């Protein structure tokens, strides 16, 4: 991988996830810098991952080749306008914030920038992440490759041709680990209510989820529906459980949740 100096503005959970992926892949920790107003998260990142940390966004960004914007959407304008005092022409700027469009960043910086929007998810921290990427036409293939290399240290990446498609990425990958966690939580809670030890229930559920995901990944010739049918005997226990899900309208619930997720991303684009 091309090794560049990377600065993360913001030290929240997603920064930790990406930095963890980088360091675990062998990326030199001394080339990674994170900034944050509060001390606690910075100390944890420094102690756990050995990266540089500070409170000075400008100094860190000035030394960086790649600036990753990882602050809450409501703080993004303030942060970007502060960074705009620097000459950013030779730096690649990557944002991981949901909802804020490329046009808004151009307004914030008010100077020509090389800019990529990304939408990673938290499994990036353990190397099983999924990141959606969108680059404007002006971004070079070399800069796209650099961003892809950075994000691939935490898992897989996919490029979208249209910026609007990032909202689908948010619903399908960025937010979706939480959907699966909710399902697993509900299954574990149900078992606990029936008297099963929590540790036993968790072990059963987490391994079943891991196995199901691997079966989908390793059987690309089969749809998820076909895999479901393969484990569903007519009149059996699995069929009974699936019938309960269908009766409760699970497909409609999922579709509604994903649409609400995308709608919130649209709202954020208008808000910020």
């Amino acid at each position: 991988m091309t090794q560049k100096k990377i600065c993360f503005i913001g030290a929240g959970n997603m920064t930790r996830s990406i930095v963890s992926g980088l360091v675990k892949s062998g990326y030199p920790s001394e080339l990674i810098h994170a900034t944050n107003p509060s001390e606690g998260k910075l100390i944890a990142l420094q102690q756990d991952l050995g990266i540089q940390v500070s409170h000075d966004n400008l100094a860190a960004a000035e030394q960086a080749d790649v600036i990753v914007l990882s602050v809450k959407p409501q703080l993004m304008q303030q942060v970007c306008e502060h960074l705009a005092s620097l000459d950013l022409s030779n730096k690649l700027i990557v944002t991981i914030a949901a909802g804020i469009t490329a046009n808004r960043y151009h307004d914030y910086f008010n100077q020509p920038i090389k800019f990529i929007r990304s939408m990673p998810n938290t499994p990036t921290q353990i190397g099983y992440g999924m990141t959606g990427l969108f680059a404007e036409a002006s971004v070079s293939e070399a800069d796209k490759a650099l961003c892809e290399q950075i994000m691939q240290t935490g898992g897989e990446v996919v490029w979208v041709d249209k910026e609007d498609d990032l909202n689908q990425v948010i619903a399908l990958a960025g937010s979706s680990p939480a959907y699966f966690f909710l399902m697993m939580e509900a299954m574990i809670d149900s078992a606990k209510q029936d008297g099963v030890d929590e540790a036993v229930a968790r072990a059963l559920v987490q391994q079943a989820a891991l196995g199901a995901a691997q079966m989908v990944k390793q059987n690309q010739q089969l749809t998820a529906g076909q895999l479901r049918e393969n484990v569903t005997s007519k009149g059996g226990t699995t069929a009974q459980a699936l019938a309960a899900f269908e009766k409760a309208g699970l497909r409609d619930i999922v579709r509604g949740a994903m649409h609400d997720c995308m709608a919130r991303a649209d709202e954020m684009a208008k808000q910020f």
Side-chain angles (χ1 to χ4, degrees):
M1 175 195 287
T2 302
Q3 293 181 345
K4 301 282 189 177
K5 293 181 179 179
I6 308 172
C7 169
F8 289 82
I9 307 296
N13 292 334
M14 192 54 68
T15 288
R16 186 177 184 88
S17 295
I18 298 172
V19 172
S20 295
L22 282 166
V23 173
K24 288 175 182 177
S25 74
Y27 202 90
S29 57
E30 63 269 20
L31 296 181
I32 305 172
H33 195 136
T35 67
N36 202 61
S38 59
E39 192 79 18
K41 291 180 179 178
L42 292 179
I43 292 174
L45 281 171
Q46 188 176 50
Q47 291 178 343
D48 296 343
L49 300 169
I51 68 170
Q52 299 183 65
V53 298
S54 72
H55 303 296
D56 192 335
N57 290 354
L58 283 181
E62 188 170 24
Q63 297 297 316
D65 300 302
V66 182
I67 301 171
V68 181
L69 302 172
S70 181
V71 299
K72 295 179 180 179
Q74 58 266 33
L75 299 176
M76 190 64 77
Q77 181 173 359
Q78 176 186 343
V79 167
C80 291
E81 289 178 349
H82 184 54
L83 293 175
S85 62
L86 300 173
D87 177 6
L88 301 171
S89 59
N90 292 319
K91 302 180 187 298
L92 175 62
I93 299 174
V94 180
T95 178
I96 64 174
I100 307 177
T101 65
N103 284 339
R104 294 300 295 153
Y105 286 98
H106 286 288
D107 291 340
Y108 297 159
F109 286 111
N110 195 30
Q111 62 175 290
I113 54 173
K114 299 184 294 182
F115 178 76
I116 294 176
R117 281 189 65 189
S118 72
M119 192 63 244
N121 62 12
T122 53
T124 297
Q125 185 172 346
I126 57 170
Y128 287 93
M130 184 72 239
T131 300
L133 298 168
F134 167 78
E136 297 178 303
S138 59
V139 176
S140 70
E141 289 301 316
D143 282 330
K144 289 175 65 176
L146 174 59
C147 181
E148 183 171 319
Q149 287 173 346
I150 292 170
M151 293 305 180
Q152 278 181 331
T153 63
E156 299 184 9
V157 303
V158 61
W159 288 93
V160 297
D161 295 325
K162 299 183 296 181
E163 186 175 8
D164 286 348
D165 288 345
L166 280 178
N167 288 348
Q168 285 281 2
V169 174
I170 293 170
L172 285 165
S175 297
S176 65
Y179 315 162
F180 296 113
F181 295 151
L182 177 61
M183 179 68 175
M184 295 167 75
E185 180 184 6
M187 292 170 68
I188 292 168
D189 285 347
S190 176
K192 286 167 58 181
Q193 291 171 24
D194 290 335
V196 178
D197 178 78
E198 182 174 0
V200 172
R202 175 169 175 153
L204 290 167
V205 169
Q206 67 191 23
Q207 188 63 22
L210 179 62
Q214 285 295 327
M215 287 191 71
V216 172
K217 187 170 184 177
Q218 295 180 26
N219 292 276
Q220 294 293 314
Q221 76 281 10
L222 300 176
T223 67
Q226 288 171 320
L227 287 168
R228 170 183 52 77
E229 291 172 359
N230 289 347
V231 296
T232 307
S233 301
K234 186 175 180 180
T237 57
T238 305
Q240 192 73 17
L242 293 176
F245 284 134
E246 296 286 9
K247 183 177 180 181
L250 178 63
R251 295 176 190 271
D252 290 336
I253 292 171
V254 171
R255 184 165 177 78
M258 292 182 65
H259 280 194
D260 285 351
C261 181
M262 291 185 287
R264 178 55 185 151
D266 286 335
E267 289 174 359
M268 291 171 68
K270 296 180 178 69
Q271 184 177 357
F272 303 108

